[in-house]
């Protein structure tokens, strides 16, 4: 049986990609295409902008003319006159002097811009395009961008304060719309335009190859270091300690980047941040100090896995206060706990920040107020202060004032009744619960052996519980989902916050099913949801959702993972103390599930081993295949599930596979399987709010496989009754509500099926579809293997936990240059 933690795509390698791998293969920034393709500009042919205007003027000539115009205009007009001109033409006259001057010059020379077609906001030149400065909703800035914005066709107006002066001809000529020139911007497929790049050392491709590619994409190559934009080297430089070219670049403070920077910039058609591919900081004594979102995903993942959690719940004193050693506690008065965490994701303004405010009580000292605001993974750039207050009432007033400044809401209504209204550009509270995030409270690496050694449970069961109680599996799961911020306790959220996240997801899913907007307006709807989602479900790497598969992979599956990790956190509690008191047995009792290892010589063990071997196919990650070796099998009796005797009374029973992350397993054993959170017309969610099973261990293995450096995993076997009536589907349904209401069983027909001639019967009437995998004849199905959907949890009973170890089977090396 399979629970919907990680929905599958049509290809195997898509289904089991970790966040690290996805980050390497996808563009995750606000410049990505959204679900609707942008129409080509009228001023483009075959995707390439003109290099001449209608009067035959070249880009270079137009740029020179604009430079001369700017020089004359800045000498003639005062700053106040520039603001008056902008106001007279219904343009934005606010902001600093540095913002007003280029805005006015652009408007005078190229003409006043029309309003944003998405939100009716004002457009502003950013250096590479024109971006909207308006807001789409209280949750999101408008992310509309365009190379050639529509201009007002009428004549540019001059206010009386300017018209009454002797306006130079160079300015007067631009007032006539017929004499304007379009603004030439860099071609999108020229990411290296204006760059001088140097190459060093043995790269994966020849220097000649990269020289050709760099020049084809607008750049130039230099054999020397002085004056270059960056130096490109092999990743091996960090092991070598740096060549003479690297040393010279370091001395001149020129960025030294890995070769992947070239490939990624070309693939994404824009220069990638140099900091993300930095090599020099690894060679420097001071270390990186680079924000996580600017790092290579591999490096960021390693840092997040090893980072210490700074805030583990509502009563946790933030680690960076340095007050824990003094016995500090969160201040509480009249039932209010003075500890708040906030999040804000605003991709229109490139903001992805968190904020912490705490009142902290230190024994024999005054009250302390702590405040911190910054971008996750960028501690050096965070705003932070710790203040000591003698007057408790004034400290409380300051805390409440900060809350209102941060959120735009009053503090008391939030803490008393959880009333909150999202305000534009303001943070939103991440409602923490009283418990302990498992990334802090779970067993650390040094505790695992001691905890198992002192456990009174049967040794194999003790080792099983050791895995479920360790920090590691939960850290990995959140890291792969991008929800692993060390500054916010994503593993200890309140039920209220989780319900709000679920409501937002369900509302958006329903909206896109009936959405009539197209083009840029459709993109704005997706952008608005993305910013709202990543404000509520705080992530290290936010992006704009583009399609339903991404909603399934990163929103629905992410929510389900966080929900299940929160359940595990409550069961595990705080195991940071001594382990000789047998905490594993205590957690085992809380789960309410009996776990017993099967004897290897037993008939059940042999039956399951045969079922695994006959229905398994290697999991593929890129060019590497992974087989699964059977380690242990546990028979389980969860008190939350119906008894086997109850299920045996139901019709059409099958023993089926379920793949699950290790991080979700404890909640399954404690509460039983939950249906999928939503219905989406993509594999994994195409049956709607159902518990989904498979007759192929290969399907379950994709969900249980997490990362190549975490070979252990678990598969689940459960007995499911499909009911009297079973509906067969070859394609996703547009509306699954009828299936959900009638609670009939559903069989999704895959491209492969198990050979029915080899099926067996177990426990009298329970069918075990353990035949070899063969073609089914349904070549057009989105499913690779048969899947079964059950809508009533009372029709499903978890029977066995199968521990497996994924092992590398073969490697295909690419020897091409």
């Amino acid at each position: 049986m399979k629970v919907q933690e990680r929905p599958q795509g049509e290809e195997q390698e898509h289904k089991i990609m970790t966040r690290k791998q996805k980050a390497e293969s996808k563009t995750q920034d606000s410049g990505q295409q959204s679900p609707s393709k942008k129409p080509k500009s009228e001023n483009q042919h075959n995707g390439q902008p003109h290099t001449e205007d209608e009067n035959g003027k070249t880009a270079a000539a137009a740029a020179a003319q604009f430079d001369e115009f700017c020089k004359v205009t800045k000498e003639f007009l005062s700053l106040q006159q520039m603001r008056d001109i902008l106001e007279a033409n219904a343009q934005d006259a606010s902001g600093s002097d540095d913002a007003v001057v280029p805005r006015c010059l652009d408007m005078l020379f190229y003409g006043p811009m029309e309003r944003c077609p998405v939100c009716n906001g004002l457009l502003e030149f950013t250096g590479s395009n024109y971006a909207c400065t308006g807001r789409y909703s209280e949750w999101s800035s408008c992310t509309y961008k365009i190379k050639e914005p529509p201009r007002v066709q009428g004549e540019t107006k001059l206010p009386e304060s300017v018209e009454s002066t002797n306006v130079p001809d160079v300015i007067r000529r631009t007032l006539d719309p017929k004499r304007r020139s379009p603004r030439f911007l860099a071609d999108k497929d020229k990411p290296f335009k204006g760059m001088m790049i140097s190459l060093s050392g043995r790269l994966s491709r020849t220097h000649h190859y990269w020289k050709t590619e760099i020049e084809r994409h607008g750049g130039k190559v230099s054999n020397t270091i002085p004056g270059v934009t960056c130096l490109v080297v092999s990743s091996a430089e960090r092991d070598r300690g740096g060549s003479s070219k690297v040393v010279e670049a370091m001395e001149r403070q020129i960025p030294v980047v890995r070769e992947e920077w070239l490939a990624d910039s070309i693939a994404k058609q824009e220069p990638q941040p140099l900091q993300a591919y930095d090599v020099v900081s690894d060679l420097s004594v001071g270390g990186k100090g680079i924000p996580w979102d600017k790092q290579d995903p591999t490096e960021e993942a390693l840092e997040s896995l090893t980072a210490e959690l700074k805030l583990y719940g509502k009563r946790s004193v933030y680690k960076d206060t340095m007050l824990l050693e003094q016995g500090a506690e969160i201040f509480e008065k009249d039932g209010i706990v003075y500890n708040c965490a906030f999040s804000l994701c605003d991709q229109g303004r490139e903001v992805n920040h968190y904020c912490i405010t705490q009142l902290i009580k230190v024994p024999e000292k005054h009250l302390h107020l702590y405040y911190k605001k910054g971008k996750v993974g960028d501690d050096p750039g965070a705003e932070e202060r710790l203040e000591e207050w003698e007057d408790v009432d004034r400290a409380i007033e300051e805390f409440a004032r900060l809350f209102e400044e941060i959120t735009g809401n009053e503090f008391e209504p939030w803490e008393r009744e959880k009333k909150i209204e999202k305000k534009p550009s303001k943070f939103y509270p991440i409602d923490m619960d009283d418990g302990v995030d498992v990334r802090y409270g779970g067993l650390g690496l040094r505790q695992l052996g001691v905890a198992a050694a002192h456990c009174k449970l049967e040794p194999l069961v003790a080792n099983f519980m050791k895995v479920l109680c360790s920090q590691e599996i939960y850290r990995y799961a959140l890291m792969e989902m991008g929800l692993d911020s060390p500054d916010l306790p994503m593993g200890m959220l309140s039920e209220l916050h989780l319900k709000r996240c679920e409501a937002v997801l369900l509302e958006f899913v329903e909206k896109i099913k009936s959405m009539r907007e197209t083009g840029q307006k459709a993109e704005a709807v997706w952008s608005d949801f993305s910013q709202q989602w990543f404000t509520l479900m705080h992530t290290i790497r936010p992006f704009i959702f583009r399609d339903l598969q991404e909603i399934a992979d990163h929103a629905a599956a992410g929510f389900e993972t966080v929900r299940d990790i929160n359940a595990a956190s409550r069961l595990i509690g705080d195991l940071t103390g001594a382990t000789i008191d047998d905490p594993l047995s205590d957690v085992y009792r809380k789960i309410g599930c009996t776990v017993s290892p099967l004897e290897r010589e037993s008939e059940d063990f042999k039956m399951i081993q045969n079922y695994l071997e006959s229905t398994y196919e290697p999991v593929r990650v890129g060019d590497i295949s992974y087989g699964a070796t059977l380690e242990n099998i546990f028979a389980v009796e969860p008190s939350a599930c119906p008894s086997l005797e109850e299920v045996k009374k139901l019709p059409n029973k099958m023993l089926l596979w379920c793949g699950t992350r290790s991080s979700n397993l404890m909640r399954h054993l404690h509460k039983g399987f939950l249906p999928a959170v939503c219905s989406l017309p993509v594999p994994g969610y195409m049956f709607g709010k159902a518990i989904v099973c498979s007759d192929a261990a290969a399907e379950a293995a994709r969900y249980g496989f997490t990362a190549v450096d975490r070979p252990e995993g678990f598969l689940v076997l459960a007995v499911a009754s499909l009911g009297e009536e079973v509906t067969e589907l070859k394609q996703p349904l547009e509306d699954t509500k009828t299936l959900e209401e009638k609670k009939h069983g559903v069989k999704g027909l895959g491209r492969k099926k198990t050979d029915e001639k080899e099926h067996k019967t177990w426990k009298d009437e329970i069918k075990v579809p353990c035949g070899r995998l063969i073609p089914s004849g349904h070549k057009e199905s989105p499913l690779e293997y048969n899947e079964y959907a059950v809508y009533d949890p009372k029709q499903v009973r978890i029977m066995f936990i199968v521990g497996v170890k994924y092992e590398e089977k073969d490697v295909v090396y690419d020897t091409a240059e």
Side-chain angles (χ1 to χ4, degrees):
M1 181 182 307
K2 174 189 66 168
V3 171
Q4 323 272 341
E5 284 85 8
R6 186 172 359 188
Q8 67 183 54
E10 186 168 327
E11 300 297 330
Q12 282 188 348
E13 51 264 45
H14 290 173
K15 297 174 186 174
I16 44 78
M17 290 175 91
T18 64
R19 177 165 62 90
K20 178 198 112 179
Q21 292 163 331
K22 287 181 179 176
E24 291 172 344
S25 64
K26 293 184 179 180
T27 306
Q28 297 187 341
D29 58 25
S30 59
Q32 289 177 310
Q33 279 192 343
S34 30
S36 302
K37 294 182 179 178
K38 295 181 181 180
K40 289 184 179 179
S41 166
E42 293 179 0
N43 294 318
Q44 291 182 352
H45 293 283
N46 299 321
Q48 301 298 323
H50 284 305
T51 55
E52 296 182 353
D53 65 15
E54 59 185 8
N55 297 317
K57 188 184 299 180
T58 65
Q65 185 178 347
F66 180 60
D67 289 342
E68 180 61 26
F69 168 82
C70 291
K71 183 179 178 181
V72 172
T73 304
K74 283 191 283 188
E75 290 177 354
F76 177 76
L77 294 175
S78 68
L79 284 167
Q80 185 55 51
Q81 287 176 317
M82 288 187 178
R83 292 184 188 273
D84 293 343
I85 293 173
L86 288 168
E87 286 183 358
N89 291 275
Q91 303 294 300
D92 184 11
S94 65
S96 67
D97 296 346
D98 290 338
V100 167
V101 172
R103 195 182 298 152
C104 182
L105 296 174
D106 178 279
M107 189 209 70
L108 282 173
F109 193 79
Y110 300 110
M113 285 179 285
E114 292 184 359
R115 293 268 179 163
C116 170
V118 173
C119 74
N120 202 39
L122 295 167
L123 302 179
E124 184 153 356
F125 184 59
T126 65
S128 59
N129 54 35
Y130 289 84
C132 179
T133 60
R135 299 200 63 81
Y136 184 79
S137 76
E138 69 274 19
W139 290 95
S140 65
S141 290
C142 184
T143 54
Y144 174 77
K145 295 179 181 178
I146 189 171
K147 287 283 186 183
E148 298 177 21
R151 304 277 179 173
V152 176
Q153 293 304 307
E155 190 170 291
T156 305
K157 302 173 184 177
L158 292 181
E160 180 62 29
S161 62
V162 178
E163 190 67 69
S164 60
T165 62
N166 187 19
V167 180
D169 289 342
V170 70
I171 295 179
R172 284 211 175 272
R173 282 199 301 268
T174 64
L175 304 181
D176 184 355
K178 296 179 181 179
R179 305 185 70 174
R180 294 174 190 153
S181 300
R183 188 161 195 170
F184 293 104
L185 301 177
D187 295 347
K188 192 174 182 182
D189 67 343
K190 303 288 185 185
F192 305 130
K193 188 167 185 177
M195 294 186 183
M196 182 71 73
I197 300 168
S198 185
L199 307 172
S200 176
R202 184 174 181 177
L203 306 175
S204 66
R205 309 300 293 262
T206 65
H207 283 216
H208 174 73
Y209 170 86
W210 280 125
K211 182 176 186 293
T212 303
E213 286 294 291
I214 290 169
E215 291 175 348
R216 187 163 71 89
H217 290 87
K220 294 182 179 180
V221 175
S222 172
N223 291 326
T224 58
I225 296 300
V228 300
T229 304
C230 64
L231 171 65
V232 176
V233 301
S234 165
S235 297
E237 288 294 342
R238 71 178 65 181
D239 299 321
R240 292 179 53 201
S243 64
S244 58
K245 265 192 172 183
V246 171
V247 173
E248 183 179 357
M250 291 172 65
E251 291 174 347
R252 294 177 180 272
Q253 297 185 329
I254 291 171
V256 181
V257 297
R258 293 179 292 108
E259 183 181 5
E260 287 81 0
W261 176 77
L262 294 172
D264 290 352
S265 296
I266 292 171
K268 297 171 183 177
Q269 295 191 2
E270 60 182 346
Q272 298 302 293
L274 292 168
Q275 306 101 310
Y277 300 81
D278 181 79
V279 172
V280 169
S281 56
D282 283 349
L283 305 174
S284 304
V285 177
K288 282 199 168 183
I290 300 172
W292 287 5
D293 65 335
K294 301 298 183 186
Q295 291 185 27
D296 173 83
T298 306
E299 302 295 333
E300 176 260 302
L302 288 174
E303 286 201 38
S304 70
L305 280 174
T306 57
E308 186 175 358
L309 190 65
K310 297 180 179 181
L311 183 65
Y312 61 73
K314 188 68 174 178
R315 297 182 183 276
S316 164
V317 175
Y318 191 76
K319 178 179 176 291
D320 287 357
T321 62
M322 308 299 287
L323 296 175
L324 285 169
E325 296 80 1
Q326 302 178 36
E329 295 178 351
I330 296 297
F331 177 72
E332 181 178 1
K333 183 180 181 182
D334 298 331
I336 292 180
V337 180
Y338 287 84
N339 183 12
C340 292
F342 312 91
S343 173
L344 175 61
C345 179
D346 191 336
Q347 296 187 65
R349 295 189 294 136
E350 298 184 350
V351 169
N352 182 38
H353 288 174
Y354 68 93
C355 184
I356 307 294
T357 59
Q358 297 185 327
L359 279 181
I360 305 167
K361 181 174 61 175
V362 180
E364 301 178 4
K365 289 189 178 181
H366 297 131
L367 208 58
H368 289 73
L369 173 63
Y370 180 73
Y371 170 86
K372 184 177 182 181
K373 181 173 72 173
K375 182 180 359 180
V376 62
D378 185 20
D379 268 7
E383 178 186 353
E384 185 177 21
R385 67 176 186 264
L386 180 66
E387 303 168 342
E388 190 170 355
W389 290 73
E390 295 183 19
D391 191 319
V392 172
D393 291 336
R394 287 190 60 196
I396 292 174
E397 289 175 6
E398 176 62 12
F399 185 94
R401 187 196 68 77
L402 278 174
F403 184 93
E404 186 167 353
E405 178 184 293
I406 293 164
T407 67
N409 289 258
E410 293 182 4
F411 175 65
E412 284 267 347
W414 162 250
E415 278 301 328
R416 296 290 186 196
E417 303 174 50
K418 298 303 177 185
K419 290 183 178 178
I420 197 79
E421 180 182 350
K422 179 67 173 70
K423 302 289 186 179
S425 302
K426 297 291 187 179
F427 283 79
Y428 194 84
I430 301 294
D431 196 31
M432 302 175 287
D433 215 343
D434 271 352
V436 178
D437 190 314
V438 70
R439 290 178 293 161
Y440 173 84
L443 293 174
L445 290 175
R446 295 180 180 179
Q447 295 177 290
L448 296 176
V450 178
H454 288 89
C455 184
K456 297 180 179 63
L457 298 171
E458 198 276 337
L460 287 177
V461 178
N463 280 318
F464 174 67
M465 289 302 302
K466 177 185 72 174
V467 173
L468 295 192
C469 291
S470 71
Q471 296 178 10
E472 187 181 20
I473 60 173
Y474 304 101
R475 284 180 174 270
Y476 263 98
L478 291 177
M479 179 273 290
E480 289 169 357
M481 290 290 181
L483 303 169
D484 51 333
S485 166
D487 300 288
L488 296 178
M490 299 305 293
M492 188 37 65
L493 303 175
S494 70
E495 289 298 322
L496 171 72
H497 192 82
L498 291 172
K499 287 186 181 298
R500 283 181 173 171
C501 292
E502 183 178 6
V504 168
L505 174 61
L506 294 177
E507 181 182 349
F508 178 69
V509 168
E510 290 304 311
K511 185 172 186 175
I512 57 177
K513 288 180 180 178
S514 59
M515 186 169 65
R516 296 182 179 180
E517 291 89 345
T518 59
Q520 293 162 345
K521 291 187 177 180
E523 292 175 17
V525 173
W526 285 75
S527 173
D528 181 55
F529 167 74
S530 304
Q531 296 180 73
Q532 182 175 2
W533 181 256
F534 288 128
T535 291
L536 292 170
M537 195 65 70
H538 186 76
T539 182
I540 289 174
R541 293 180 181 272
F543 62 97
I544 303 296
F545 289 106
R546 298 170 299 173
D547 54 42
L548 295 173
Q549 190 63 57
E550 287 191 340
I551 294 294
D553 290 343
H554 297 281
F559 169 77
E560 290 168 348
T561 297
V562 169
R563 177 199 65 195
D564 291 355
I565 289 177
N566 271 261
S569 293
R570 288 171 173 81
L571 289 167
I572 293 170
D574 187 358
L575 305 184
T576 56
T579 54
I580 59 174
D581 295 331
D582 195 8
L584 295 181
S585 294
D586 290 339
V587 178
Y588 178 80
R589 284 189 288 271
K590 289 180 186 177
I591 294 175
C593 175
T594 302
V595 180
S596 308
L598 287 184
E599 295 289 339
R600 288 185 172 270
E601 299 304 319
S602 67
E603 291 301 315
D604 284 352
F605 192 101
K606 293 176 182 178
M607 179 271 292
I608 294 169
Q609 185 175 29
N610 173 63
Y611 195 2
L612 174 66
E613 292 172 352
S614 61
T615 64
Y616 184 81
E617 289 183 330
V619 173
R620 291 188 65 83
V621 181
D623 295 325
I624 304 176
S625 297
Y626 290 87
T629 302
L630 179 60
E631 296 278 286
N632 294 295
I633 301 176
F634 299 96
V636 296
E637 295 182 19
S639 58
C641 295
S643 69
L644 180 60
E645 294 304 316
E646 290 175 309
V647 176
K648 285 174 70 174
K649 296 175 184 177
L650 302 175
N652 205 356
K653 300 172 291 295
M654 299 180 74
L655 184 66
L656 296 168
W657 292 101
C658 166
T660 179
R661 290 174 176 269
S662 302
S663 59
N664 299 72
L665 188 54
M666 185 176 286
R667 201 215 66 83
H668 297 334
L669 296 176
H670 181 55
K671 293 289 188 181
F673 288 134
L674 282 179
V677 67
C678 64
S679 171
L680 292 166
V682 296
Y685 290 85
M686 59 183 278
F687 303 108
K689 297 179 179 181
I691 298 167
V692 183
C693 324
S694 177
D695 54 17
E699 177 65 22
R702 295 170 179 169
Y703 289 79
F705 185 92
T706 53
V708 295
D709 50 356
R710 276 198 46 73
E712 298 82 12
F714 296 101
L715 309 180
V716 178
L717 277 171
V719 175
S721 167
L722 301 179
E724 296 284 359
E725 184 178 335
V726 180
T727 303
E728 292 190 348
L729 294 179
K730 297 179 183 179
Q731 295 293 333
L733 293 177
E734 289 187 9
D735 189 358
T736 60
K737 289 182 180 178
T738 302
L739 296 175
E740 294 167 10
E741 291 169 357
K742 291 184 177 180
K743 290 184 167 48
H744 290 164
V746 177
K747 180 179 180 180
L749 302 175
R751 299 188 296 276
K752 296 178 183 178
K753 66 178 183 178
T754 56
D755 191 341
E756 294 184 10
K757 292 181 292 186
E758 300 176 8
H759 289 186
K760 297 180 180 179
T761 301
W762 178 70
K763 298 283 185 184
D764 302 326
E765 298 179 355
I766 299 173
K767 184 178 179 180
V768 183
C770 53
R772 291 176 295 109
L773 293 168
I774 59 176
S776 67
H778 304 293
K779 296 180 179 179
E780 303 302 318
S781 173
L783 304 174
E784 186 158 7
Y785 308 99
N786 291 338
E787 297 186 8
Y788 304 82
V790 179
Y791 294 91
D792 187 352
K794 294 180 181 179
Q795 294 175 221
V796 181
R797 174 177 174 78
I798 300 173
M799 293 299 301
F800 300 101
I801 304 296
V802 181
V804 297
K805 185 174 183 179
Y806 296 98
E807 296 178 322
E808 183 177 312
K809 291 179 65 68
D810 58 85
V811 184
V812 179
Y813 294 98
D814 182 7
T815 57
E817 179 179 274

